[in-house]
Amino acid sequence: MYYKNLTFILISVLLVSCKSEAQKKEAFKIQKTEIEWKKQLTEMQYYVLRQEGTERAFSSPLDKNYSPGVYACAACATPLFISEHKYNSGSGWPSFDREIKGNVAFSIDYNIGVARTEEHCATCGGHLGHVFNDGPRETTGKRHCINGAALKFIAKK
């Protein structure tokens, strides 16, 4: 009886904690091979967008950019955020209090041992950053903390 219970518990734990790449991959409109992405993106863009990396805080010129315009995905040009929703969070990464609905996909990651809401471009699946609940209370209360390397700024004309 003891071994049956132990076997059941072990199998349950394995099933719950199993994280295969097949589970993580979603079907995005734009699909490319890793070789194609490497040809298109800079080394930093590839690291952030395709390998879910994080650029160094305060290293992106977009952190302090407050010109009117749209922030689009650096990989596929999908509009993701607008300048009117950008604010200085002091975190060292471009921060927005909301996304352009439908253009950002969300998932949960446990990469640092705790659950975080991860953001991806809904068109190509590129990793953007994470969203937290410590944003401006007078608007949405959200802080979309986004890697500048994942973004391309398109100035308003």
Side-chain angles (χ1 to χ4, degrees), residues 88-102:
N88 183 6
S89 69
S91 67
W93 289 280
S95 298
F96 305 86
D97 70 356
R98 69 198 82 171
E99 78 283 4
I100 296 175
K101 297 283 185 216

Side-chain angles (χ1 to χ4, degrees), residues 51-87:
Q51 296 181 312
E52 299 180 355
T54 302
E55 67 191 2
R56 204 176 72 249
F58 302 102
S59 66
S60 172
L62 294 180
D63 181 36
K64 298 296 181 196
N65 177 41
Y66 293 99
S67 300
V70 173
Y71 293 83
C73 176
C76 70
T78 296
L80 303 169
F81 304 94
I82 60 172
S83 59
E84 289 84 6
H85 299 143
K86 188 172 188 293
Y87 70 98

